[in-house]
Amino acid sequence: MPSSPPIPLIRQNIEKAAKDSPLAHKRPALLAACKGQGREAIEAAIAGGITLFGENRVQEAQEKWPEIKKMHPEVELHLIGPLQTNKVKEALALFDVIQTLDRPRLAETIARVQGSELGVQGKQFYIQVNTGEEPQKAGVLPAEADGFIDYCKNTLKLNVVGLMCIPPADQPPAPHFALLRKIALENNVAQLSMGMSGDYETAVRMGSTCVRIGTALFGNRMAD
Ligand SMILES: *Cc1c(COP(=O)(O)O)cnc(C)c1O
């Protein structure tokens, strides 16, 4: 973490962008994307007022978070990276929110584990949409989103609260944020997880309810 935490500045930027736009949510949440960050950086972010954290890998989170959570029960932990079906039990035991629900088999496994294990209920889910239709990227295709959201909510009874996207790195993000917002409105889904270090102000103007910030908070990562 840089010597003077830029949290107040980022919060100011979010607030300003929210005031700028009629589409904006009144108080978008700031989630710290803390992959690759150690205990000290995470503790500093908590001291700076961050209560939402996102990890990309179940195993890394299992190594870091049980202790931090014990000390800071107010903190909410989100999974923002891909989830393998064989890690569902561990993920549900540790994370409060899974932002990367992206395929029927994963959703079915989650529903089954929630129905058979103790202590893994009451979780919230975001469906990841591959707005750029990139073959290497996770997420349901926009054309399949309505059906998948309906399946997760109504057939599997999962608590789907939002949608999440990661726009293609080489395109302007605004059309992707607009598409995610449109799908959410059409499906009566309230939360929009969109916006990262490079585009969070745009995302806030387009209605983001949760920006996921890594680099701008913690500085550059050694590796992902
Ligand atoms: C790493 C990561 C972020 C944060 O990215 P930055 O550009 O460093 O802010 C956000 N979302 C996801 C899914 C990530 O993996």
Side-chain angles (χ1 to χ4, degrees):
M1 174 155 255
S3 49
S4 75
I7 295 169
L9 179 66
I10 293 173
R11 288 213 191 272
Q12 260 176 35
N13 292 341
I14 291 172
E15 212 170 292
K16 189 162 170 298
K19 276 202 192 115
D20 276 354
S21 164
L23 296 183
H25 187 261
K26 275 194 203 69
R27 299 206 56 196
L30 169 56
L31 176 145
C34 60
K35 56 178 171 267
Q37 301 301 330
R39 175 90 184 246
E40 207 171 304
I42 291 170
E43 291 282 358
I46 294 172
I50 302 276
T51 57
L52 305 181
F53 288 83
E55 286 282 359
N56 286 68
R57 295 197 173 94
V58 175
Q59 195 184 329
E60 181 180 338
Q62 279 179 311
E63 286 158 16
K64 285 154 66 172
W65 278 94
E67 254 186 88
I68 306 175
K69 272 193 136 184
K70 220 178 287 165
M71 306 269 298
H72 304 283
E74 76 283 6
V75 163
E76 199 175 274
L77 189 60
H78 293 226
L79 180 64
I80 60 173
L83 178 55
Q84 309 299 323
T85 48
N86 64 1
K87 290 276 172 66
V88 163
K89 210 163 109 179
E90 288 89 340
L92 290 176
L94 182 60
F95 290 93
D96 303 293
V97 181
I98 309 281
Q99 290 206 5
T100 49
L101 187 51
D102 64 355
R103 58 199 191 278
R105 213 165 85 76
L106 176 62
E108 288 154 10
T109 305
I110 289 170
R112 184 157 38 76
V113 170
Q114 285 200 318
S116 63
E117 298 285 326
L118 289 175
V120 296
Q121 291 75 30
K123 308 293 174 170
Q124 297 185 338
F125 301 93
Y126 287 66
I127 287 171
Q128 184 175 356
V129 182
N130 186 357
T131 57
E133 308 191 24
E134 296 172 281
Q136 82 285 7
K137 201 166 268 177
V140 289
L141 294 172
E144 293 163 358
D146 293 356
F148 185 60
I149 294 166
D150 176 64
Y151 180 60
C152 291
K153 279 177 34 167
N154 299 317
T155 305
L156 299 177
K157 310 287 184 203
L158 297 181
N159 185 17
V160 175
V161 299
L163 304 182
M164 180 272 226
C165 77
I166 307 171
D170 61 350
Q171 290 178 25
H176 296 274
F177 297 150
L179 175 58
L180 196 72
R181 182 169 188 276
K182 175 172 176 283
I183 295 170
L185 283 173
E186 286 168 357
N187 288 279
N188 201 20
V189 169
Q191 307 294 319
L192 286 171
S193 173
M194 55 191 204
M196 310 187 358
S197 292
D199 57 19
Y200 68 93
E201 286 152 299
T202 304
V204 166
R205 283 188 210 101
M206 312 281 308
S208 175
T209 64
C210 176
V211 295
R212 311 177 308 268
I213 312 284
T215 318
L217 270 176
F218 295 110
N220 285 320
R221 289 179 289 276
M222 303 288 278
D224 280 4

